[in-house]
Amino acid sequence: MLDYNVRGENIEVTDAIRSYVEKKINKLDKYFVNSKSKVIAHVNLKVYPNKSAKAEVTILLPYLSLRAEEVSEDLYKSIDLVIDKLVRQIHKFNTRINRKSRDKGINDFKLTIPDADYEAEAEANGNDEDKMEVVRTKRLALKPMDSQEAILQMNMLDHNFFIFEDTDTNGISIVYKRNDGRYGLIETND
């Protein structure tokens, strides 16, 4: 059984919106019918001043999370798109998720794909794990710098992230460009 939590930012979650979200989330319930563990879906809806709307859904499984987000000009369209994206994720990672649950010793969780045609389609398209192959390896020497200098280096290289030795923490850190155009910093624990 799939439980869900619906939250809104810059929008009041009306009964109509909640009902629509519940109807769409319940479509995902068929994938978790064999699960004895509690599966929780967190839905976050946000409306921006420029009249666009974002729907984020995170499904917490016993050992991993499925997450998708979509932005469009209409809230209901964003909800539809994010559910479609989650279904594709579930189909794509079905075998991997089930194998991982067995490896971790979680016997009460099994993801079920009701459509038998999907297995034949996956075989025809090749193995998804081949697409996860590392095709290039880079080695780099980390230079000591602060986060501001790392952001400048990242922008000069036209990359989305940059790894560096942080002079403030003496640890390895990563700066990255966020979807909203601002920057994030990931600091490692020693």
Side-chain angles (χ1 to χ4, degrees):
M1 183 69 183
L2 191 62
D3 290 337
Y4 40 85
N5 177 16
V6 182
R7 198 178 117 226
E9 290 182 43
N10 301 334
I11 185 173
E12 179 184 343
V13 180
T14 63
D15 290 338
I17 294 172
R18 184 176 304 280
S19 172
Y20 191 78
V21 168
E22 289 173 4
K23 177 180 145 193
K24 292 296 180 175
I25 291 288
N26 283 335
K27 288 184 177 183
L28 298 175
D29 204 26
K30 65 184 174 188
Y31 299 108
F32 305 101
V33 291
N34 292 335
S35 175
K36 296 173 189 150
S37 299
K38 188 175 188 178
V39 180
I40 302 170
H42 295 281
V43 181
N44 188 29
L45 307 173
K46 186 172 186 175
V47 175
Y48 294 102
N50 66 357
K51 305 297 182 197
S52 63
K54 178 165 110 174
E56 295 176 24
V57 177
T58 304
I59 299 176
L60 302 174
L61 301 174
Y63 55 88
L64 67 89
S65 298
L66 295 171
R67 184 180 183 286
E69 67 179 56
E70 282 293 333
V71 178
S72 73
E73 65 281 352
D74 179 52
L75 180 63
Y76 292 97
K77 182 178 179 183
S78 294
I79 294 167
D80 291 340
L81 292 171
V82 81
I83 296 301
D84 292 343
K85 189 182 265 189
L86 282 168
V87 168
R88 285 192 306 273
Q89 281 182 16
I90 289 169
H91 281 281
K92 182 175 181 179
F93 295 112
N94 174 41
T95 305
R96 203 168 301 140
I97 289 170
N98 287 330
R99 186 181 313 131
K100 195 170 189 178
S101 67
R102 281 192 311 271
D103 292 347
K104 298 245 183 204
I106 302 172
N107 298 325
D108 63 345
F109 180 79
K110 174 95 169 87
L111 191 63
T112 304
I113 303 294
D115 183 8
D117 293 335
Y118 174 76
E119 295 299 328
E121 180 184 322
E123 289 296 324
N125 292 335
N127 192 348
D128 278 342
E129 291 185 21
D130 292 342
K131 296 177 186 174
M132 302 288 279
E133 179 184 353
V134 175
V135 295
R136 184 173 180 185
T137 302
K138 286 187 176 183
R139 301 203 188 283
L140 54 117
L142 300 180
K143 296 180 180 167
M145 60 182 76
D146 63 12
S147 59
Q148 296 298 316
E149 185 178 349
I151 291 171
L152 289 173
Q153 290 288 328
M154 176 183 67
N155 288 335
M156 284 176 31
L157 294 169
D158 196 30
H159 287 172
N160 293 330
F161 69 94
F162 189 80
I163 304 169
F164 65 101
E165 184 180 335
D166 197 331
T167 56
D168 297 333
T169 63
N170 293 325
I172 307 301
S173 295
I174 303 168
V175 291
Y176 63 95
K177 188 173 267 188
R178 296 168 40 96
N179 290 339
D180 62 6
R182 298 184 295 176
Y183 300 99
L185 174 67
I186 299 173
E187 296 177 338
T188 58
N189 292 333
D190 291 333

